[in-house]
Amino acid sequence: MSPLILNIVRRETLQLSKKILPRKRYSTVQSSIPKFESILGKDAVATKEAVRKQFSRDEGHLLPRLPTVVLSPTSVEQVAAVVRVCNEQSIPVVAYGTGTGLEGGSMSLKDGVCLSTAAIEGGICEVNEADFDVSVRPSVTRKQLNTHIRNTGLFFPVDPGADASLCGMVATSASGTNAVRYGTMKENVRNLEVVLADGSVLYTRGKGARPRKSAAGYNLTDLFIGSEGTLGIITKAILKLHPRPQAQSVALCHFPTVAEAVNSVVETLQMGVPIARIEFLDHVQVAACNKYSHLTLAEQPTLALEFHGQTDAEVGQQAQVVGDICAQNNGSAFEWSTELEEMEKLWTARHNAYYAALAMRTGAVGFTTDVCVPITKLAETIVATRKDLDETGLKGVIVGHVGDGNFHVILPVFEENEEEMKVVHAFSDRLVRRALSANGTCTGEHGIGVGKIQYLAEEFGPIGVQTMKRIKAALDPKNILNPGKVFA
Amino acid sequence: MSPLILNIVRRETLQLSKKILPRKRYSTVQSSIPKFESILGKDAVATKEAVRKQFSRDEGHLLPRLPTVVLSPTSVEQVAAVVRVCNEQSIPVVAYGTGTGLEGGSMSLKDGVCLSTAAIEGGICEVNEADFDVSVRPSVTRKQLNTHIRNTGLFFPVDPGADASLCGMVATSASGTNAVRYGTMKENVRNLEVVLADGSVLYTRGKGARPRKSAAGYNLTDLFIGSEGTLGIITKAILKLHPRPQAQSVALCHFPTVAEAVNSVVETLQMGVPIARIEFLDHVQVAACNKYSHLTLAEQPTLALEFHGQTDAEVGQQAQVVGDICAQNNGSAFEWSTELEEMEKLWTARHNAYYAALAMRTGAVGFTTDVCVPITKLAETIVATRKDLDETGLKGVIVGHVGDGNFHVILPVFEENEEEMKVVHAFSDRLVRRALSANGTCTGEHGIGVGKIQYLAEEFGPIGVQTMKRIKAALDPKNILNPGKVFA
C-alpha cells in the first residue's frame, strides 16, 4: 500500500481490514498492469494518484483508501478479460459505480483493482414500453433513465436520493422514499448480466429473457441483488418500469407524539391505501428544517405524504382517507396540495433534511445510520433512539421511510475528534442492537459494506453467515471479488 | 427399488432418473429405519405400501414412484435429526407437502426417505396484524390460513388453485390468478426457517426477524423460494399479509381476436389500473365451458377480470377505465357485477376450465403445461400455439394469467396411449421452445421438478446451470436433498 495514503486511513478501517483478510494471500497488482493495458488500452488503466483518489471513497463516513489501479473497461468482454486476469493472479477487484454508497461497499481495502463501470458502452440498450422493461448498462443513472423515458408514460421508481448507477443500485439493493408503494430494487429487476469471478458471463434468468415471472431454477437474480460486488460484477440489468402517475398530491401532518404519527401509518397501510411516500421527521429534524429553510412548521413529529394515481379523483380519495386517519390520531389540519409549486414547498423540509441536520453544527460532516424494524416496533424504537440521543448529548435527527419501518439517524460530526467518534459509534451500536432485538435488521437500505460487518453475524447467527460464506466460496473460491465486504 | 412399483414407472421418468444419478452412490434406507424409529417413534415411520402409495405422485402427469419409507416428524428438531442421519448415510430425502404440484417435484425417484411435513406441530404460530405478517408451519394450507385470519381484515393473496401447503408454495415459488396485483410467493415471504442438508437450522433473515425490507447480507430467502426441496427443507415461513379488499367486482369480455384481448391487457396495465385478476380463455376453452357448465358465452377469446378496492367507487372507477379500453379493442359489452352471486356466475367458466377441458374426452386425464412470455409476445405465442394444437389434432385448451404473460395448455390425454403421448410431448417441446425464443421461460409457475429438467439448460445456458449446481454442491455436497430434480 502506498505510504501516501496511510495517514488518511481511519483506525477502524485498518483494524477491520486486518481482521478480514488474515490468511488470504493476494498477488500485487503491479506486475499485471501490462496485461490490463493490452486488454483495455493504456488510457483505460490509471495509476496516477489524482485518479485513484477519485475512486477512494463513497459518500459515507469511512475515510478514503486509494486503490492501486483504476481500470475503465468499455465492454462486458473487457470486464470479463480483466476479471480473468485478476482470478488467475489472485488480485482483488472492486467494482465502482457512482460512489454514492454509505457503508464503504465500493472502497478498495487492499492493494488491487478498482474496476470503474462508468465507461461500459451501450447505456440504455433497449426500452420495451409495452412490456414495462428496460435494459441498462452500469453507466446509466436513475435520473438519466427517467429523463430518457419521460415521454413513454413510464418511469423507474426506486429513489435512494443519490443519482446512483442503476447497476450499482442492484448491487446494493437500494430502495428509498417510495419503496412503500413500488418496492425496492429486489422487486424491480427482471434479469442481470453478471461477470463471475472466473470471467464467465452469467445471465441470471437466461440470455435475453424478460418474462414477468418464472418458476425455472434457482432465483439467481435476487442472489446478486444486494451482494455488493462480492459474487460478481453486474454489467447489465433488465429493470421493470411503472406507469407514471398522472395525478399526484402531497401533504404534511404534525402529531403530538411519535406513536400517534406511526399509528396513522399503520392504519393507512391497513386501509390498503397505495400511498407512494410516507416519510417521518422527528421534532428536532423539523426544528432544523425550520431554521435551514426559513419555514414555520410545528416542531412536532411530522409525516410528509405523497399520493400517486391516474386521476385527481383517485388521489383526492386517498388523501381524504389518510386525512381522516391522521385526524383521529390527533394529527394537525391536513394540508394537501396537487399544485406542483405548492407540493415542492411542502416537500422542502424533507428534501433538505440532510443539509438542515448538518447546519446544526457549522463545518460538521454527516454520519448517517440506517436500521429497519417491524412497524409495530417503530414508535418505541424511535422514542428510545431519541431518548438515547438526548441523554448522550448528541445532536442528531431522525428521519425515515416509515411505511417500511426504516429510519435513519443523521449526526453532524467532526470525524477527527476521536472522543466524539467513540460516543457516536457507541450510540450507533446501541441503535443497531435495539433494532435487532425488535425483530428488525441492522440495515434497511444502506447495506453492510465495511461499516456493518460486525452486525451481520449478530443478525444472522453462525449458520446464516456460514451459508452465505459457502455460497461466496462456491462462486468466488479465491475471494477476489470485493474482499473484506459483507462478512469478514 | 421395490419390484412392486416398477410396472407403474413411466418410461420417461426412468430414463431421466438414470441420467440424473449416474455416478452418485446412495446407501439403502433399510438399515437406517431403526434410527428413524428411535428419533420419531414407530408410528411416524411407515413402510407399508398403502402409505407409500399416498406419497408416490403429485397432481401432474408423471406416473407414480413409491418412496421406500415415509417419515412424519412433528418438530423442526425431528426434521433436523432425520436429515442428519440421511446426510451421514447418504440417503435421499424428499420433502412432501400436500402433493399438489404438477411437475413431479415431490416424487421420490430413488430408494429413499419421503419426509411428510404435514405432521409438524405449531400450525399458525403467530399473527402480527399490524405488521401484516404471519408465521406458519408446513401443515398449514393457504385456505386454512385465510379461514383463520378472516376476522383480521387481512388475507394471504397467492392462489395457485390447489389448496397447497404454504411452505410447499414457498418451495415451488407458487403464484396463480392474482399475482398480477399481489405478486407471487417471491414477493410475499419475509423469513424462512430451513433445515439444511447437514441438519443445521437456518433462518434466512435471522431468527425472528421480520422487517419489511433489509439490505443486510445475501438474499437467502429468495434462494430457497422455488428451490423445490433441493437446497433445504422449509419448516416455517413468515409470510406477508394484505388488506382484504372491501369492495370487489368481476367482469367478462369477449374479443374477435387474441391480439385484441391481449392489447386490452397491455393498455390496462399501462393505465396503472391495479387489477386483481385478468384471466384469458381461448375460444375452445369457452366452448368447453359452455358445454360443461351449461353457459351461453360467446365462443371467442375471452377475458375474465376482477377488481379489488376499498370502496365501491374505487372499484367502479377501475371497471370503467378497463371497460373503455376493452371497447376500443372491439371487446363485447362489458358485463360487470359487484353482487357476490353474480360474480360467482361470471367466474364459473374460469373456475371450471380444467374440468370442462377434461370433459372434452370422456375418461381422459389432464396434461397441463405452463410457459410465460413478455406480454408483447403473448398474442403471437398464443396464436401459434392454437395453430399448432389444431394442426396436430390435439384437443387442447388455452387459459392463462395473462396479466403476467403466463399461460397453460390443458390437454385431456390417455397416458397409456404411447403414440398419443409422443405427440403430446412433441407439442409440449415446441411450446417451450416457442416461449424461450420469445424471451420467455419454460415455466411461469409450475416449476422444473422432473418434467422440465431438459429445458433448464436451454433456458439458462451452461454458465447458468453451472452456477446453480455450484450453489447446490456448496449447500448439499452429498446431493441428498431431492436428488434428480431441477437439474440432472
Side-chain angles (χ1 to χ4, degrees), chain A residues 251-253 255 264 268 273 275 305 307 315-336:
Chain A
L252 270 190
C253 192
F255 295 84
S264 304
T268 296
V273 180
I275 197 155
L305 308 108
F307 306 97
V315 156
Q317 215 166 37
Q318 293 179 26
Q320 180 70 50
V321 172
V322 179
D324 289 350
I325 290 170
C326 289
Q328 278 159 26
N329 284 290
N330 303 315
S332 64
F334 199 68
E335 297 176 79
W336 68 282

Side-chain angles (χ1 to χ4, degrees), chain B residues 253-257 280-284 286-287 297-303 330-332:
Chain B
C253 191
H254 310 287
F255 295 83
T257 64
F280 172 84
L281 298 87
D282 86 338
H283 69 281
V284 182
V286 178
L297 302 171
E299 295 179 2
Q300 289 185 314
T302 295
L303 293 180
N330 304 314
S332 64

Side-chain angles (χ1 to χ4, degrees), chain A residues 129-133 152-154 172-173 175-176 179-181 184 186-187 189 196 198 200-220 222-228 230-231 240 243-244 266 269-274 310-311 313-314 317 370 372-377 401 403-406 438-448 456 459-461 463-472 474-475 477 486-487, chain B residues 129-133 152-154 172-173 175-176 179-181 184 186-187 189 196 198 200-220 222-228 230-231 240 243-244 266 269-274 310-311 313-314 317 370 372-377 401 403-406 438-448 456 459-461 463-472 474-475 477 486-487:
Chain A
E129 286 182 41
D131 287 323
F132 307 89
D133 64 47
T152 61
L154 302 172
T172 55
S173 192
S175 53
V180 64
R181 175 165 176 149
T184 69
K186 208 170 122 8
E187 285 81 26
V189 179
L196 298 175
D198 62 4
S200 57
V201 180
L202 169 72
Y203 300 90
T204 57
R205 275 244 60 82
K207 193 169 182 177
R210 43 189 189 80
R212 285 168 71 99
K213 67 181 195 187
S214 174
Y218 299 162
N219 184 344
L220 299 177
D222 280 272
L223 183 62
F224 284 91
I225 298 173
S227 64
E228 305 192 30
T230 63
L231 296 179
K240 296 182 196 171
R244 186 182 291 279
V266 173
L269 296 175
Q270 263 166 339
M271 287 298 289
V273 180
Q310 296 312 115
T311 61
E314 191 187 335
Q317 215 166 37
D370 156 57
C372 186
V373 296
I375 293 183
T376 49
K377 308 287 183 79
H401 315 317
D404 294 313
N406 181 204
N439 305 117
T441 173
C442 69
T443 172
E445 55 183 28
H446 293 175
I448 296 293
L456 192 80
E459 183 165 336
F460 284 88
I463 305 295
V465 175
Q466 190 188 66
T467 303
M468 293 183 201
K469 284 186 173 177
R470 281 182 182 169
I471 293 166
K472 166 72 171 172
L475 300 190
V486 182
F487 31 65
Chain B
E129 286 181 41
D131 288 323
F132 308 89
D133 64 47
T152 61
L154 301 172
T172 55
S173 192
S175 52
V180 64
R181 174 165 176 150
T184 70
K186 209 170 123 6
E187 286 81 26
V189 180
L196 298 175
D198 62 3
S200 57
V201 179
L202 169 73
Y203 300 90
T204 57
R205 276 243 59 82
K207 192 169 182 177
R210 42 189 189 81
R212 286 169 69 99
K213 67 181 195 187
S214 173
Y218 298 163
N219 184 344
L220 298 178
D222 280 272
L223 183 62
F224 285 91
I225 298 172
S227 64
E228 304 191 31
T230 63
L231 296 179
K240 296 182 196 171
R244 187 182 291 276
V266 172
L269 297 175
Q270 262 165 341
M271 286 300 287
V273 180
Q310 294 313 114
T311 61
E314 191 187 335
Q317 216 166 36
D370 159 55
C372 187
V373 297
I375 294 183
T376 50
K377 308 286 184 79
H401 315 318
D404 295 314
N406 181 203
N439 306 116
T441 173
C442 70
T443 172
E445 56 183 29
H446 292 175
I448 296 292
L456 192 80
E459 182 164 337
F460 284 87
I463 305 294
V465 175
Q466 189 187 68
T467 303
M468 292 181 201
K469 284 186 173 177
R470 281 182 181 168
I471 293 167
K472 166 73 171 170
L475 299 190
V486 183
F487 30 65

Side-chain angles (χ1 to χ4, degrees), chain A residues 157-169:
Chain A
V158 184
D159 173 5
D163 187 23
S165 154
L166 290 157
C167 290
M169 286 167 63

Side-chain angles (χ1 to χ4, degrees), chain A residues 132-134 136 140-150 152-160 163-167 169-170 174-175 178 182-190 237-245 277 308:
Chain A
F132 307 89
D133 64 47
V134 63
V136 294
V140 182
T141 67
R142 64 175 186 89
K143 286 186 184 170
Q144 284 167 358
L145 173 62
N146 279 326
T147 302
H148 185 86
I149 60 173
R150 66 183 177 278
T152 61
L154 302 172
F155 81 123
F156 184 74
V158 184
D159 173 5
D163 187 23
S165 154
L166 290 157
C167 290
M169 286 167 63
V170 174
S175 53
N178 54 22
Y182 299 100
T184 69
M185 287 308 283
K186 208 170 122 8
E187 285 81 26
N188 284 288
V189 179
R190 291 240 159 96
I238 300 184
L239 305 172
K240 296 182 196 171
L241 299 174
H242 294 254
R244 186 182 291 279
R277 288 185 163 102
H308 288 180

